[in-house]
Every structure is written in C-alpha cells, then in structure tokens.
Amino acid sequence: MRYIRPLSMEDAVGQLAGSPGTAAILAGGSDLLVRMKGGFIEPDLIVDIKAIDGLGEIRETAEGFSIGAAVSCALMGESPALNREWPGVVEAAKLIGSKQVQGRCTIVGNLCNASPAADSVPALVAAGARALIVGPGGRRTVAVEAVPTGPGKTSLAKGEIIEAILLDRRAPRSGDAYLRFIPRTEMDIAVVSAGVNLTLDEQGVVKSARVALGAVAPTVLLVEEAAEALIGRKLDEAALERLAKVCSGACRPIDDKRGTVEFRRKVAGVLARRAATTAHARAGGK
C-alpha cells in the first residue's frame, strides 16, 4: 500500500488516474479508515488531499458558497454566513456521527460514500447543490444527485475527485430544513430523512421548491411531484397533506431490522411535512 500527500489537485488527479490498482481518497477518513480496519477494502494507493491549497476552506462569493472537499462538518457549523444562508445543509452536516467525528468528516466524503441513508445528501439535493469535479479531462460541474448511482457506487470516473460543493446565493424569502428519524436519540443511521428548500413570493405563496428523501430508495430521491404540490400555493393544511401523500407514494424502501416498508413510507410523509413547515418559517412565512 502506498500513501501520498499531494500539494496540488493536478498531482492528485495524475496519481489516481495512473494507479494500476485500487485507489482511495483520504480527507476526513471517517468512512475510509473504518472500512479498512474492518477488512472491507485494502487500497493499493491512498491519496491524502488535505494539504491541497483551498480544499480546507469555505469560500463565499457573490454567486454563493464553495465548500472545499476537506472542509469538516464541524467547520461548516462554525461558519456564520453558511448557517445564515443554508441552515438546513448545516444542520444535516452536524448530524453525521459524534462531535469527534464531525471534527474530521466531510460532506464530500459523505456524498462519495454513496449510502442511501447519508445525512448531508438529501439536504444538499434539496438545496440544488452542485459538485465541482476535477479529472484527467479537466473540470466539470454536476448536480449532487447525479453523483451516487447506487449503494456504495458513484458516477465518478477513474482519476476524478470532487474538489468542492457549490451552493448558490439564497433568493429573498427562502428557507431550507432537514429532518431524519433514527431509533436512538443521536449517533444513528437515518431510517428515513427529508430535506425541503422553498422560496416564497411577497404574498407568501411558494414560487419554487425542492424536496428530497433519504433512506427510502437505493439513492436519495429528488421528488419533483412533491415540489409541485407546494408551488403556487400557500403552505396551508391542504398543501402539507398533499406533500405528505406524494412523498409517501414516492418511496421505494426495503424491509429490514431498522424499519418496515410501511413504516418508512409513513414517516417519509411526516418528515417532509415537518421539514416544509420549518423551511417555510425560515423563509419568513406566516
């Protein structure tokens, strides 16, 4: 096994692209090191990206935010601007593992681990986040929901690295929220989760929305019909009931020891409704 700590993205990409065996990227290591210790993987090459300039920074621009691949979830929680603009994304990041884990883990790692139950991903999908990918062919930007293709699988090609997560500047009267259900009070894997992001007009009518569900399908679901249930309406009881019904119907869950299909479908509707109510309040709705 080889371990390298490149100082540039070009070097990291070249090393990954030229590796003849299996390669892994080390940022926080909260997934990678656990899987290695458990004997699930044994990479031939580990590329530690933490020394690459800019990857450990949250950058705020006129267009929005760029969250580097090595930014810890704890650092996100310490950013006043990010908390103000995207509280739902931050609250999702702050639910990953324990306080100690949050000091190391990253939302890019959470995304690339490709678990259907990943906490940060539904919030990012609801937020319309994009992944900035660097590879042998240059840079490209894709929607976050296009990265995971199934449990443990991504659309990244050999040699490609996600450099940053991009979030747009918030429109006025906008809000987002993330909620999950877990069996324990903390430090557990989501049985069901929901992220909602919406924008209101001056009359309090929803003019745009995105709704995402986690742990109810092989990948996080962007439920467009759920957004349509909200757009053009005030967030009254009828709209919330329609949202809950659509989200329950969109689920494709499995039965396992942590929850049944019926339970997950029911909870998906409940969480989507509650997350929408919180997002609505954050947007200034009454």
Side-chain angles (χ1 to χ4, degrees):
M1 182 185 295
R2 287 196 304 131
Y3 166 88
I4 62 170
R5 189 178 173 91
L7 301 179
S8 71
M9 186 60 72
E10 291 72 22
D11 187 16
V13 167
Q15 293 280 356
L16 285 169
S19 173
T22 60
I25 297 171
L26 172 63
S30 57
D31 284 317
L32 174 63
L33 298 181
V34 171
R35 293 171 67 195
M36 289 173 61
K37 188 174 179 63
F40 298 105
I41 59 171
E42 189 173 337
D44 298 296
L45 172 67
I46 295 177
V47 180
D48 185 345
I49 62 172
K50 291 192 290 296
I52 298 175
D53 187 45
L55 262 60
E57 300 175 6
I58 300 173
R59 295 176 175 172
E60 184 178 3
T61 68
E63 291 75 33
F65 294 87
S66 174
I67 304 170
V71 170
S72 70
C73 292
L75 188 60
M76 290 176 61
E78 294 170 1
S79 168
L82 193 59
N83 275 271
R84 182 178 62 252
E85 294 257 337
W86 292 103
V89 171
V90 174
E91 64 195 0
K94 290 170 68 177
L95 286 172
I96 301 172
S98 64
K99 294 295 183 184
Q100 294 90 337
V101 169
Q102 289 162 23
R104 303 296 296 176
C105 68
T106 68
I107 57 171
V108 171
N110 198 224
L111 173 64
C112 292
N113 192 46
S115 166
D119 277 309
S120 69
V121 181
L124 290 170
V125 171
R130 304 176 311 283
L132 175 60
I133 300 170
V134 183
R139 282 174 165 78
R140 63 189 179 99
T141 303
V142 302
V144 160
E145 58 266 29
V147 175
T149 58
K153 299 178 180 179
T154 74
S155 59
L156 298 176
K158 184 177 177 62
E160 287 190 325
I161 303 174
I162 295 181
E163 183 176 51
I165 296 295
L166 307 178
L167 289 165
D168 289 335
R169 178 70 64 188
R170 296 303 309 245
R173 294 179 294 278
S174 297
D176 71 322
Y178 172 79
L179 290 171
R180 68 176 184 180
F181 174 84
I182 58 175
R184 302 186 298 180
T185 56
E186 59 181 326
M187 287 192 296
D188 209 339
I189 301 170
V191 177
V192 184
S193 61
V196 177
N197 176 36
L198 51 81
T199 300
L200 309 177
D201 66 15
E202 293 180 357
Q203 286 71 47
V205 174
V206 179
K207 66 178 183 179
S208 66
R210 286 172 68 92
V211 180
L213 300 174
V216 293
T219 60
V220 170
L221 297 178
L222 176 62
V223 189
E224 295 182 359
E225 189 180 351
E228 293 168 2
L230 301 178
I231 295 172
R233 301 174 175 85
K234 290 195 173 184
L235 200 71
D236 54 18
E237 183 62 27
L240 289 170
E241 280 296 316
R242 174 64 180 164
L243 170 68
K245 182 178 180 181
V246 169
C247 286
S248 293
C251 296
R252 305 194 304 273
I254 59 171
D255 279 313
D256 63 19
K257 63 182 180 181
R258 303 175 63 250
T260 64
V261 167
E262 182 181 8
F263 178 78
R264 283 188 162 105
R265 284 177 175 158
K266 174 66 175 178
V267 174
V270 172
L271 291 183
R273 179 188 175 111
R274 292 179 181 175
T277 301
T278 300
H280 180 258
R282 288 173 174 170
K286 298 179 180 178

